Amino acid sequence: MQADKTTLSDLSIFSSEEDHSVFHALNFTETNGGRDYLRQILARPLSSTKEIRDTQKTIQHLLQILPRWNSRISNGTIMVAEKFYETQITSMPKGANIYSAYIYKWLNASDFSICRYSVEHFVHLLQGMQEIHDLLYGTDSSIQISLWLQRISMLLNKPGVHDILRIDNPKKISIIQILDIASFMHGHYKQAAFELIDIFSKIDAYLSLAKACQHFQLCFPEVTDTEEPSIIAEQLYHLLLPTPVSYDVQLNRTSNFLFLTGANMAGKSTFIKAVGVGVYLAQLGMGVPAKSMRISFFDGLLSNIHVMDNIVKGESYFFNEVQRIRKTIEKISDGKKWLILIDELFKGTNVQDAMKCSTTVIEGLRRMQNAVFILSTHLYEIGEPLQQYPNIQFRYFETHVQDDQLAFSYQLKEGISNDRLGYLILKREGVVELLNKL
């Protein structure tokens, strides 16, 4: 699935304020390498339902073994192993005996100390990978897990590894063993060690997704290969909200355009992002924040939420809005299935201009049956003439006012809102009072 950097930013998949990103919410990794792989996973939506189902199977398998997961491999273990290969160490004696071992230790005290410390961690790495292999092994593994198991088995079956796997206590091995293992790891096992570390980092990343599924109680969606774009979600909510409100969503070819209205702060942007994040996670093979979800495989997802002006290029906010819409139309004219999210279209021009431009865009986009659209707007006036089109759904978020106080239910209702609460918010926040005192 295609999703550009603007869309990833709009949906907060990644964010300059990392604590407020989807990546941060799903990050339960224990190693630096795992964290890097998790970032790669989240940046690359999968390209087929086959890949999605295999990833779902991988995460579900890891969910099953979570209660028994107790790896002896830590971030420190990996850092020590990597540092060992970066360090210049005096050549160790081949086939060391007690005499040559003690001579080496005496003449190269610093290097020997590095070897002893590193060997302990290499034992943890190799034995830990053997334990992971045994824990993951099963007759109904995903393709991804099967590949990991094959490589781990091959790398641990290399000559010289079996003796290391039989060590009971790496803190109590002899000087000769320390030098023999250090020499073997340094001279014969470097590439294999780095591959094991790479595999463990990948497992750590996918295990993080399994932990996130458990933590947030996510469900695995059904992603189907259908010719028509569709989204059916029950009790879908935004992953990043501490106390979210859930929504039911249904979009398909005959009802492919959702026209969304409501006052400021009523929940329009949150709803749009909830749908976008849900579909994006589904196409990663990840669980989604919903009771249930069934979607078609989407070839692309584009958003128009946080458009910016460009002072350096002399480009206005409105100009960039127009450019984003133009690029969107060009993209989705390929006949493939797209999800398009648009929040407050044409904020960068006057109301009359915005109404005409918005109506023109909506009447054009709603004819594209290969895509589904969610568009929010303050311009409720344009809704009435659009009701002639049967494929446009009209939903709004209601707001109640009592004693000059706003109450938001965040519930999605059928129809068009005509709430105008900007002045009330200005008054409630004390701005009117401050102005009167000037």
Side-chain angles (χ1 to χ4, degrees):
M1 182 178 77
Q2 300 179 51
D4 60 15
K5 290 182 180 180
T6 299
T7 300
L8 297 188
S9 177
D10 281 347
L11 298 180
S12 298
I13 304 300
F14 304 105
S15 174
S16 55
E17 297 182 53
E18 190 171 292
D19 289 357
H20 300 138
S21 68
V22 173
F23 169 75
H24 178 78
L26 303 182
N27 182 19
F28 290 83
T29 58
E30 298 178 356
T31 65
N32 295 337
R35 187 177 186 275
D36 292 341
Y37 266 112
L38 179 63
R39 184 176 288 276
Q40 291 181 34
I41 292 169
L42 295 190
R44 299 172 184 170
L46 301 173
S47 57
S48 69
T49 54
K50 181 180 179 181
E51 289 181 315
I52 290 171
R53 290 175 189 137
D54 194 69
T55 299
Q56 287 183 344
K57 194 173 183 180
T58 296
I59 297 171
Q60 289 167 336
H61 191 134
L62 293 172
L63 267 168
Q64 292 174 2
I65 68 165
L66 264 181
R68 293 174 286 146
W69 180 268
N70 186 26
S71 175
R72 66 177 72 194
I73 302 172
S74 66
N75 193 53
T77 297
I78 291 173
M79 292 177 68
V80 169
E82 292 174 337
K83 187 67 175 177
F84 177 75
Y85 288 113
E86 296 171 2
T87 306
Q88 293 292 328
I89 297 175
T90 304
S91 296
M92 291 149 279
K94 296 180 180 179
N97 54 41
I98 192 66
Y99 175 76
S100 61
Y102 272 98
I103 290 292
Y104 183 89
K105 178 182 178 182
W106 179 59
L107 294 177
N108 306 281
S110 177
D111 288 349
F112 179 79
S113 178
I114 292 171
C115 290
R116 180 175 58 189
Y117 187 64
S118 300
V119 163
E120 180 180 336
H121 285 279
F122 275 120
V123 173
H124 287 315
L125 174 64
L126 297 181
Q127 292 183 348
M129 292 304 291
Q130 181 64 62
E131 291 168 356
I132 290 170
H133 177 279
D134 296 342
L135 188 60
L136 288 177
Y137 187 80
T139 56
D140 191 29
S141 296
S142 66
I143 295 172
Q144 179 66 78
I145 290 178
S146 295
L147 291 173
W148 291 338
L149 292 174
Q150 290 173 19
R151 290 306 300 163
I152 293 171
S153 180
M154 291 181 64
L155 294 167
L156 295 183
N157 278 327
K158 290 182 176 291
V161 175
H162 291 290
D163 291 338
I164 299 174
L165 295 176
R166 287 195 291 265
I167 293 173
D168 290 329
N169 188 344
K171 291 183 179 293
K172 294 184 178 181
I173 60 178
S174 68
I175 294 176
I176 295 175
Q177 282 180 295
I178 289 171
L179 291 178
D180 283 346
I181 294 173
S183 178
F184 167 72
M185 297 302 297
H186 198 274
H188 305 283
Y189 205 73
K190 180 178 179 179
Q191 183 176 347
F194 276 115
E195 186 172 350
L196 285 175
I197 290 171
D198 187 65
I199 293 171
F200 182 80
S201 297
K202 291 177 181 177
I203 294 173
D204 187 27
Y206 282 95
L207 193 70
S208 175
L209 297 179
K211 291 175 181 176
C213 285
Q214 183 183 71
H215 179 79
F216 293 108
Q217 294 296 295
L218 306 181
C219 81
F220 285 94
E222 183 181 356
V223 184
T224 61
D225 282 314
T226 59
E227 293 183 3
E228 300 181 1
S230 66
I231 300 172
I232 302 172
E234 183 181 2
Q235 295 182 26
L236 175 70
Y237 62 91
H238 199 298
L239 182 70
L240 300 184
L241 295 182
T243 54
V245 173
S246 61
Y247 321 99
D248 293 340
V249 183
Q250 187 161 343
L251 290 160
N252 52 48
R253 175 171 282 185
T254 59
S255 186
N256 71 324
F257 203 110
L258 197 157
F259 183 89
L260 188 64
T261 53
N264 286 314
M265 304 189 299
K268 301 189 300 296
S269 297
T270 299
F271 170 78
I272 288 173
K273 292 176 182 180
V275 176
V277 170
V279 170
Y280 190 85
L281 291 178
Q283 302 228 181
L284 293 172
M286 178 60 179
V288 298
K291 181 179 179 180
S292 66
M293 191 172 191
R294 186 174 187 269
I295 67 170
S296 60
F297 177 85
F298 281 95
D299 298 290
L301 191 166
L302 286 176
S303 67
N304 187 328
I305 297 175
H306 299 300
V307 176
M308 303 294 289
D309 59 3
N310 192 319
I311 296 174
V312 175
K313 292 184 177 180
E315 296 172 353
S316 69
Y317 187 96
F318 178 71
F319 178 81
N320 281 327
E321 281 189 297
V322 172
Q323 290 301 306
R324 184 67 176 169
I325 289 295
R326 182 181 65 81
K327 291 176 182 177
T328 297
I329 295 169
E330 290 173 350
K331 278 271 189 182
I332 66 179
S333 297
D334 59 3
K336 296 181 179 179
K337 296 187 290 292
W338 289 84
L339 169 61
I340 307 301
L341 308 172
I342 303 173
D343 190 23
E344 299 296 350
L345 187 59
F346 299 127
K347 297 187 288 286
T349 188
N350 64 75
V351 173
Q352 294 302 319
D353 214 16
M355 289 174 61
K356 184 175 182 180
C357 291
S358 296
T359 301
T360 300
V361 168
I362 293 170
E363 288 182 334
L365 292 179
R366 67 107 198 156
R367 294 198 298 267
M368 304 189 75
Q369 296 184 333
N370 61 299
V372 294
F373 304 86
I374 301 177
L375 180 145
S376 76
T377 181
H378 280 106
L379 307 173
Y380 71 91
E381 298 92 343
I382 68 175
E384 185 175 347
L386 293 173
Q387 290 180 341
Q388 63 181 301
Y389 303 117
N391 64 320
I392 299 181
Q393 304 178 49
F394 296 90
R395 300 289 185 274
Y396 74 98
F397 285 99
E398 65 177 357
T399 307
H400 299 291
V401 182
Q402 186 173 0
D403 298 327
D404 281 351
Q405 295 299 313
L406 297 176
F408 301 105
S409 69
Y410 303 110
Q411 297 297 319
L412 201 59
K413 304 288 185 177
E414 186 170 351
I416 301 172
S417 169
N418 61 0
D419 290 336
R420 285 292 183 268
L421 304 175
Y423 180 79
L424 182 59
I425 295 171
L426 198 72
K427 184 178 178 181
R428 189 190 70 171
E429 296 302 313
V431 177
V432 173
E433 184 181 354
L434 287 172
L435 290 170
N436 289 334
K437 291 178 179 179
L438 293 179

